[in-house]
Amino acid sequence: MQKHFAALILTALSFALTVSAQILAAPVNTPTLIQTFMVNTRFAPCLQAAGNYDGAPVNVATCGNFNGPEKTWTVVKGGGVEGTTPNNGPITQIRVFGDKCLDVPNGNNVNGNKLQIWTCYDGNQNQLWRVNGDARITWANHNKCLDLTDGNLRDPVVRMQIWDCNNDGHQVWNAIPPRP
């Protein structure tokens, strides 16, 4: 009976962790998901890179038609690192423009550190993330989440930051496939 109950729990959990499971099944450094990340589907702001250069700010801005290389992110398992835990998704890099990664500047772990993109390097701890089953994107091994600064959906462009993971809605991301 206990085995049957455990199997049911695992089945339910697998549905909740669909994104993580798809990433986990892929070999290291394999692109597994190409997504547009939206922080609030009602207002449709998307995660976007301000340009295709090292140090370009990462913002949330109006999605428009949801297309465009600046808002199409590829989740790549590993980033040169293997690892996962029962409660979090596998370690990934989150790439844009093919060779730029979501990056924590200088690895500074302080709340409010504004994010950027930087050329991807395998094993770079500043570029390792987990796309979790609870719809949060966490900086791997730091308990910091991708966070909409001040929960601001009023301004047309808002810089992204890291912040201690919590239950605020401005750390919850909807991953949607790019639209044709």
Side-chain angles (χ1 to χ4, degrees), residues 112-148:
N113 190 6
K114 303 299 187 235
L115 298 175
Q116 64 184 8
I117 61 170
W118 202 268
T119 300
C120 299
Y121 295 100
D122 282 350
N124 183 339
Q125 298 297 308
N126 302 345
Q127 299 175 346
L128 299 179
W129 301 88
R130 295 180 189 274
V131 180
N132 300 317
D134 65 358
R136 285 174 172 67
I137 300 172
T138 58
W139 185 22
N141 306 315
H142 289 85
N143 194 38
K144 298 287 184 182
C145 283
L146 181 63
D147 185 270
L148 178 65

Side-chain angles (χ1 to χ4, degrees), residues 35-145:
Q35 302 291 317
T36 299
F37 291 103
M38 297 173 57
V39 69
N40 181 313
T41 55
R42 181 172 171 214
F43 298 104
C46 292
L47 187 66
Q48 301 181 30
N52 186 3
Y53 57 91
D54 286 343
V58 176
N59 303 312
V60 166
T62 303
C63 290
N65 65 6
F66 295 89
N67 291 325
E70 74 282 357
K71 50 193 151 193
T72 303
W73 299 83
T74 304
V75 179
V76 179
K77 180 183 174 189
V81 177
E82 281 284 0
T84 189
T85 64
N87 298 322
N88 296 312
I91 294 173
T92 66
Q93 286 180 324
I94 301 176
R95 296 182 181 183
V96 66
F97 300 115
D99 68 340
K100 300 290 188 276
C101 281
L102 183 62
D103 183 271
V104 178
N106 303 313
N108 188 340
N109 198 32
V110 66
N111 283 341
N113 190 6
K114 303 299 187 235
L115 298 175
Q116 64 184 8
I117 61 170
W118 202 268
T119 300
C120 299
Y121 295 100
D122 282 350
N124 183 339
Q125 298 297 308
N126 302 345
Q127 299 175 346
L128 299 179
W129 301 88
R130 295 180 189 274
V131 180
N132 300 317
D134 65 358
R136 285 174 172 67
I137 300 172
T138 58
W139 185 22
N141 306 315
H142 289 85
N143 194 38
K144 298 287 184 182
C145 283

